[in-house]
Amino acid sequence: MRIALCQISSTADPVTNLVTIRAEVARAAEAGARIVQFPEAAQCRFGVPLAPIAEPLDGPWATAVREIAAEHGVVVVAGMFTPGTDGRVTNTTLVTGADLHLGYAKIHLFDAFGFRESDTVTPGGKPVTFEVDGTTFGLATCYDVRFPELFRTLADTAAVILLGASWGAGPGKADQWDLLVRARALDSTAYVLACGQALPAEDFGAAPTGIGRSAVVSPLGAVLDRLTDGPGTLLSDVDTSLVEEARRTLPVLANRRL
């Protein structure tokens, strides 16, 4: 199955970002992609008030993405914001197309490195998987990558984990990202397709607005392809037989005791 990772730099305008998504999906579909993945916060970048942006999964923004997916016969995975509790939003990964329309609410909120995502975002409570053409996919978002237990739970059923991110910049952060996406693939003996926001052309302060470095990582932790910090697209042909082979060779899921 061919999967496109579209490393974009979202603006603060959901309509502008929808135009970008439409163009990227058209190109990816033309290149044979079945799933087109966008990063966390594809609807709207961090660093602006998110409550006025948030919409339900049946709202106009997600519905427009659903129509784009249907037009091109693909499944689109993209980060957006849905209404949360107490005036907050939920950091949601939308999955739409091929009779799917669902969301994953980010479980682990980025209360680290001086940023407090929980001040404005309601945490999710359960892992989410979905199936396309007989392959099961798991979902994770940004800070989730620091929690191996989520990836092991997803790997109980999923062969591929789609990780969207808007990674915060800073000393050592790129190295941590590179290490973590490889470690989570190795922990779970699953493909990890990590799609990040590109490094923005201007500085938006302390908000985590992306560093790029999207990557396709094999079930044994090898980087198969990677982007640098600018906008771009990776096309990855995922072979789930390699997951089965990795799990026979390195049966960490079967051998775990805790």
Side-chain angles (χ1 to χ4, degrees):
M1 184 186 300
R2 178 163 290 182
I3 302 172
L5 282 68
C6 300
Q7 181 170 288
I8 63 172
S9 186
S10 296
T11 73
D13 179 16
V15 174
T16 298
N17 299 330
L18 197 60
V19 171
T20 300
I21 287 172
R22 185 182 302 277
E24 294 291 340
V25 169
R27 280 192 286 268
E30 181 67 22
R34 177 62 169 142
I35 296 177
V36 186
Q37 181 184 1
F38 292 90
E40 177 186 25
Q43 180 194 25
C44 177
R45 68 168 174 82
F46 285 105
V48 297
L50 297 175
I53 299 296
E55 297 180 4
L57 290 177
D58 60 357
W61 197 87
T63 298
V65 178
R66 185 176 198 169
E67 291 169 353
I68 293 168
E71 177 184 353
H72 294 283
V74 300
V75 175
V76 176
V77 179
M80 64 175 294
F81 300 101
T82 57
T85 60
D86 303 321
R88 296 180 292 174
V89 303
T90 301
N91 189 337
T92 300
T93 299
L94 168 69
V95 179
T96 190
D99 297 322
L100 295 166
H101 194 75
L102 57 98
Y104 161 66
K106 183 180 181 182
I107 293 173
H108 302 99
L109 300 185
F110 183 51
D111 288 357
F113 292 99
F115 190 82
R116 283 192 52 82
E117 188 177 14
S118 63
D119 287 345
T120 57
V121 177
T122 304
K126 63 179 183 179
V128 172
T129 61
F130 64 95
E131 186 176 308
V132 176
D133 300 342
T135 296
T136 301
F137 294 81
L139 296 168
T141 305
C142 206
Y143 194 52
D144 281 337
V145 76
R146 295 185 183 272
F147 299 87
E149 59 272 22
L150 172 60
F151 285 72
R152 293 193 188 103
T153 297
L154 292 170
D156 285 336
T157 55
V160 183
I161 299 173
L162 304 179
L163 169 66
S166 187
W167 198 253
K173 293 296 297 299
D175 287 341
Q176 291 173 33
W177 166 258
D178 293 347
L179 173 63
L180 288 162
V181 296
R182 294 184 67 191
R184 295 298 81 84
L186 199 53
D187 290 339
S188 58
T189 48
Y191 281 97
V192 171
L193 275 58
C195 184
Q197 287 275 347
L199 183 71
E202 57 185 294
D203 185 0
F204 296 114
T209 49
I211 62 167
R213 303 192 66 77
S214 297
V216 177
V217 185
S218 82
L220 290 178
V223 177
L224 303 179
D225 207 352
R226 184 190 294 285
L227 293 175
T228 56
D229 59 3
T233 300
L234 291 178
L235 290 171
S236 175
D237 292 315
V238 168
D239 180 357
T240 55
S241 69
L242 297 182
V243 177
E244 298 167 4
E245 181 181 337
R247 291 178 179 179
R248 287 193 298 269
T249 302
L250 183 65
V252 290
L253 298 176
N255 292 345
R256 60 184 165 172
R257 301 292 296 275
L258 299 175

